[in-house]
Amino acid sequence: MKKQLHKVLLHTSCMLVMALLLLSGQVKAQVNQLSGTVTSAGKPVQFATVSIKQTKTTVASDADGKFEIKAAPGQVLVVTAVGYDAKEIAIQNETTLLITLTQTSSTMDEVVVVGYGTQRKKDLTGAVSNINIAETKKFSTSDISQLLQGRATGVAVNSDGQPGSVPSVRIRGFSTFGDAQPYYVVDGVPGASVRDFSPNDIETMTVLKDASAAAIYGAAAANGVIIITTKQGKKNTAMTANYNGYYGWDKVWQIEKVTDRVQYQTLNNESRVNAGKPLFAANDPSNPGYVSNINTDWQKQGLKTGMRQNHNIGLSGGGTNNTYNVSLDYFQNKGTYVGNGPDYTRYTARVNTTAEKGIFKVGESLSYTHSHENTLTFNDNILLGGIPPMIGSLVVAIPTMPVYDTANINGYGGSNSEFNGANSLNAIGINNIFKNSIDVDRTFANVFGELQLLKHSDQHLKFKTSLSYDKTVTRDIVWQPVFYLGKFFSSNTARLDDNSRVYTNASIENTLNYDKTFGKHSIEALAGQSYRYSSAILRYSHAEGFTVPYYPVLSNGQTTSAKGTEFYSALSSYFGRINYAYSDRYLLSVSIRRDGSSRFAPANKFGYFPAASVGWKISNEGFWNVPRTVVSSLKLRGSYGKLGNQQIADYQFQGTINSGVVYTFNGVRNTGGIQTQVASPDIKWEAKSVTNLGFDASFLSGHLDFSAEYYKAVSTDILVGITIPASVGFENLTPVVNAASLENKGFEFVATYHKNKGAFTYDISGNLSTVKNKVLALGGTNAPIYGVGSRTIVGGEVGEQYGFISEGLFQTQAEIDAHATQSGGAKLAPGDVKYKDISGPNGKPDGVVDEAYDRVRLGSSIPKLNYGFSFSAAYKKFDLAVFASGSAKFLINSRMYRDLHHSAGALNYSVDMLNRWTPTNTNTTIPRLNDDDVNNFKDSNRPGWLQDGSYLRINTVSVGYTLPENIIKGLTKSRFYATVQNLYTFQKYTGYNPDFTSGVFNPGFDFGSYPKPRTFMLGVQLVF
């Protein structure tokens, strides 16, 4: 009985223990289904990451800030979001949560994309600028590069207003005489052109400026590196649909003041009389051909209201193990010039996805772009005479020429020099008759795979391989029918150019990343390999002799011709980097890259590019007693390293042989070969050594951030043409060799103040950078290099303004007789420009003003200061953004100004010429008119010939209003806005754009840039 009782008790006890254990297990494993909302300042925070601490459970908040997650009491939720302070919440028994995040006060907490990885801004030891993408979205442009203007220190962006135009980007001055564009890396793809991407797809944009930051890209990094990532989906996020669109109107607001018919005829007649020449029939009131019924205002007739529009649809989301982001984009910009162009249209489609399974992760970035551009360019072999660009031709066109003339074959007016005095181009007619188009199809693909080899709480090891393929197919069409716009601008032969360009870039990269934390030490190591292949296939096809009715296809021409060329290159690289930190106080980064390029001879094919940098977070030291409310953080940093430049033409180390040369020996004709192009077989890398010192500080509890830099960059072995004697018999008498050296140095400052609490929030940011350029060597005898009104000489700057010193105008013949001899000789008269006799063969004034001894440096063509300013604010449902940028301390030589202020010739005049010197108007700086003038037009510092280029442009003023949430079911956000772009430019320069593009040896010469229009836009942003 007792045994049975014991059995029962034992059995019961075991059952109770097991029940308790099960119950305990159930209690321990019991989880609650939590739902919550993440907000900040009363607004939902989308894409906030909500995770359970020390587990792999992670979800993301949706467009309403809502999320759901399973968690047990006692566990800790960690909530993070870009731009907000992280927050931890201990779970008890609640089932709903309202989580309020605080916006990050300091930009030092931002995560920045760097070469082959990311870093917190507070841990950076190199010179890196992170672009505020949210603010750039308020600016309309077809090219991503334009978004950099004024937003990053040390970055100068020059462009014009022509739709589809490509900006020129320089980072920290002139460091080469060749291709100076920075190296772009898009979604990890090296060397990608950004010409065809939509700004709407951009997630981050980072500029690497010093050697420490950029040396990981070695041979391609001398001009700086710009890293771009596109939008990705978020894990555990329901699909979000976005629409962003705007429509705008473009209007040229800068109109050149030129003379009307009566004023023009008066001035031209005076010019002819002063030269002792007869009047032109069209301008002579006594001639039967006198023009009195035509008074064309060419700018009024030739400029119209343009338009621009952009529509973007995006789908984004993700599951537990996958993400996706899909976008479709349409952009159109019709220009302000009457006729077939300029205009630009682009269609873009992009798909970015990732998927994970255990230790494996794969993903891809795919995009396709088609664009169509009508340009203002034309063939120089058709329109002769060194005429200005089309916008210049419009401005200087004579008012006595009609726009339309039914007597001409195309129905447009023309002129001829015998009757009108000038061969003035009817630019409106040309832009309607000619057709110039560029069609581009681009396929861009990058696929990657990752293998997580090691993943522990204190160390990780990851292998990644990436394959990319980038192919651009371009077709260029130039169609010119038979036309007549006056005797000089005419052709009896219809012509067609149908050219194609195919650019292919492919690469493979393999990287191994390792990071480990032990005690107060942390280390990150990177090792990688890269191979990049590039090709360019260029085909040129020409046909002539088309008959009416025209069907412009090559085979329809009576004569055809074709030619082509191909280029191939490869770059093979190995690289590594180590980042070390101790106790969040001391930082060290070292990197090296070895590149081998096919663009150099075997002996010079390989180059090594090392860099190192250090940082000291002095505010984390124990002795630092400054209150955080005063100085929140302070970091000192410095770096040094070497970069390379392999952006040169292919095959420059190889000479050229003409194999079709005929020789006659003993009366017998023989075909042989001869070298016609000489080349240096020793061509090697252009090298650049960069020293950078800086500090990053945060003040007032993180509300004020300030960074400062000093840099010095010395570029050596720059390729430059060296003159050789003509007696050597080669066609090229200036073969390129590694001979020149340049130095650039300057300071950079950026400050940002944040107020992100309360109903009224705002951010104010300003940046300023300086650059001082110096030529150290030009090779050989260091002979100067001349540009348009410029000179590059050792000890000076690249492309300095160069010419004579003006001493005003001659007022009397006695003054002319007493002055040194100068151009014009006996034809000089009162009212002509007087130039200073500076020197002679003996180093002293010699009584002769000539080009050999009396031209001097007149000023800098390179802006010494570049600056930007932005202000963004929000109050309740309203938001405001203002952005301005500019440059200062440089001089501009304007072709348009000189064309309109000519003393000789018969093109139209600026109204300023009404104040020219005459015997009754001697108190003026504008010389007399003289159709035989050979003196007044010379490069000099006469008033107006060189103009102050300093400017400040109000780039963007945008006002928006966000409607209440869910005003329509399913519509989680709706914002409407109005924007004015290029509102006004404060400038002394009389031309259109002080920030025009130009050649490297004459950076201050404005050949005739297209005006940047003022744009009014209305837009909407919707989230579903």
Side-chain angles (χ1 to χ4, degrees), residues 264-296:
Y264 165 75
Q265 291 173 325
T266 299
L267 294 177
N268 187 256
N269 290 344
E270 182 179 313
S271 175
R272 299 289 289 179
V273 170
N274 287 345
K277 296 179 178 180
L279 306 184
F280 291 112
N283 301 332
D284 184 359
S286 63
N287 191 292
Y290 177 64
V291 175
S292 61
N293 61 342
I294 300 173
N295 186 19
T296 304

Side-chain angles (χ1 to χ4, degrees), residues 134-422:
E135 290 302 313
T136 65
K137 297 299 176 62
K138 298 171 183 177
F139 187 84
S140 170
T141 179
S142 63
D143 195 289
I144 291 172
S145 301
Q146 187 66 53
L147 302 177
L148 293 164
Q149 186 172 34
R151 300 185 187 275
T153 56
V155 180
V157 180
N158 293 68
S159 62
D160 67 13
Q162 186 170 171
S165 63
V166 179
S168 167
V169 180
R170 285 186 183 272
I171 298 177
R172 290 183 167 180
F174 287 69
S175 58
T176 181
F177 295 150
D179 183 0
Q181 290 289 90
Y183 190 69
Y184 291 93
V185 179
V186 180
D187 284 341
V189 178
S193 166
V194 297
R195 174 75 167 87
D196 307 298
F197 295 138
S198 167
N200 287 307
D201 288 333
I202 304 305
E203 181 77 20
T204 67
M205 187 184 300
T206 308
V207 183
L208 312 183
K209 297 179 289 187
D210 74 335
S212 170
I216 199 70
Y217 293 105
N223 298 325
V225 178
I226 298 176
I227 301 177
I228 294 171
T229 64
T230 58
K231 293 178 180 178
Q232 303 287 332
K234 303 292 183 180
K235 284 185 178 181
N236 299 299
T237 305
M239 186 179 74
T240 299
N242 298 273
Y243 168 77
N244 295 281
Y246 62 76
Y247 190 94
W249 300 264
D250 293 350
K251 189 74 174 178
V252 175
W253 61 278
Q254 296 166 299
I255 301 298
E256 295 289 333
K257 297 180 180 180
V258 297
T259 57
D260 60 20
R261 177 187 64 82
V262 174
Q263 294 168 333
Y264 165 75
Q265 291 173 325
T266 299
L267 294 177
N268 187 256
N269 290 344
E270 182 179 313
S271 175
R272 299 289 289 179
V273 170
N274 287 345
K277 296 179 178 180
L279 306 184
F280 291 112
N283 301 332
D284 184 359
S286 63
N287 191 292
Y290 177 64
V291 175
S292 61
N293 61 342
I294 300 173
N295 186 19
T296 304
D297 184 336
W298 285 96
Q299 293 178 82
K300 183 177 181 180
Q301 295 291 327
L303 296 175
K304 64 180 181 180
T305 299
M307 62 78 69
R308 64 180 62 205
Q309 59 178 325
N310 183 219
H311 306 279
N312 180 272
I313 297 174
L315 303 175
S316 180
T320 304
N321 298 309
N322 69 291
T323 67
Y324 60 89
N325 186 283
V326 181
S327 69
L328 298 173
D329 191 272
Y330 171 74
F331 176 85
Q332 183 184 43
N333 187 189
K334 289 186 174 293
T336 54
Y337 207 114
V338 172
N340 290 322
D343 55 61
Y344 178 79
T345 303
R346 183 189 63 227
Y347 305 84
T348 305
R350 175 175 290 277
V351 177
N352 292 349
T353 70
T354 65
E356 297 180 33
K357 179 66 174 179
I359 63 173
F360 298 99
K361 180 179 180 180
V362 295
E364 91 289 323
S365 176
L366 305 175
S367 73
Y368 170 76
T369 300
H370 172 77
S371 65
H372 177 81
E373 180 181 0
N374 291 315
T375 71
L376 280 176
T377 57
F378 47 78
N379 284 358
D380 292 335
N381 63 342
I382 300 173
L383 300 176
L384 307 175
I387 63 173
M390 294 280 279
I391 188 65
S393 293
L394 187 73
V395 173
V396 302
I398 59 177
T400 54
M401 177 177 65
V403 177
Y404 304 102
D405 187 343
T406 56
N408 289 339
I409 186 172
N410 307 101
Y412 291 95
S415 66
N416 66 75
S417 57
E418 293 85 357
F419 177 74
N420 299 93

